[in-house]
Amino acid sequence: MENLQNREIYGPHLAIDIEKLGSIGTDIANRWLLGWPNAVKNLLDIGTYLDILTAQVDHEKTVLSNESGLRHLSPREILSVYEIREAPPC
């Protein structure tokens, strides 16, 4: 499992909650923070980050688990086929 990047941004409790979402949660959190740091900061400031991250994790897991016909593609490619947004909502 990839380590959560810049844990200090989330604070100790939220960082642990993110890691409890598993590797996909950590991957999404890292992707969001590296690609859209201002959006992440905004979600943290308004207190909706964990709820939105959890919804994204659930959505991506559902898409990946239900798509057996595209197993020759990487998970990221499968998400692209289904036009799953990589960025956090702004």
Side-chain angles (χ1 to χ4, degrees):
M1 182 166 103
E2 184 178 348
N3 291 328
L4 184 62
Q5 302 292 314
N6 299 337
R7 294 177 60 84
E8 64 278 357
I9 289 174
Y10 305 106
H13 298 294
L14 183 55
I16 290 170
D17 289 341
I18 293 168
E19 291 171 338
K20 286 180 182 177
L21 294 172
S23 62
I24 193 165
T26 301
D27 290 345
I28 294 168
N30 288 340
R31 178 179 79 210
W32 284 2
L33 184 61
L34 294 173
W36 300 273
N38 292 336
V40 168
K41 182 169 179 4
N42 182 51
L43 294 172
L44 290 168
D45 288 347
I46 62 175
T48 59
Y49 182 85
L50 187 59
D51 291 336
I52 291 172
L53 177 64
T54 301
Q56 183 74 17
V57 168
D58 291 343
H59 187 57
E60 290 190 18
K61 280 183 174 180
T62 299
V63 168
L64 294 172
S65 68
N66 290 333
E67 191 43 68
S68 59
L70 297 176
R71 293 289 178 217
H72 61 287
L73 299 175
S74 72
R76 193 166 211 134
E77 290 170 323
I78 293 171
L79 296 173
S80 178
V81 167
Y82 282 90
E83 298 179 356
I84 304 301
R85 186 180 156 101
E86 287 195 15
C90 296

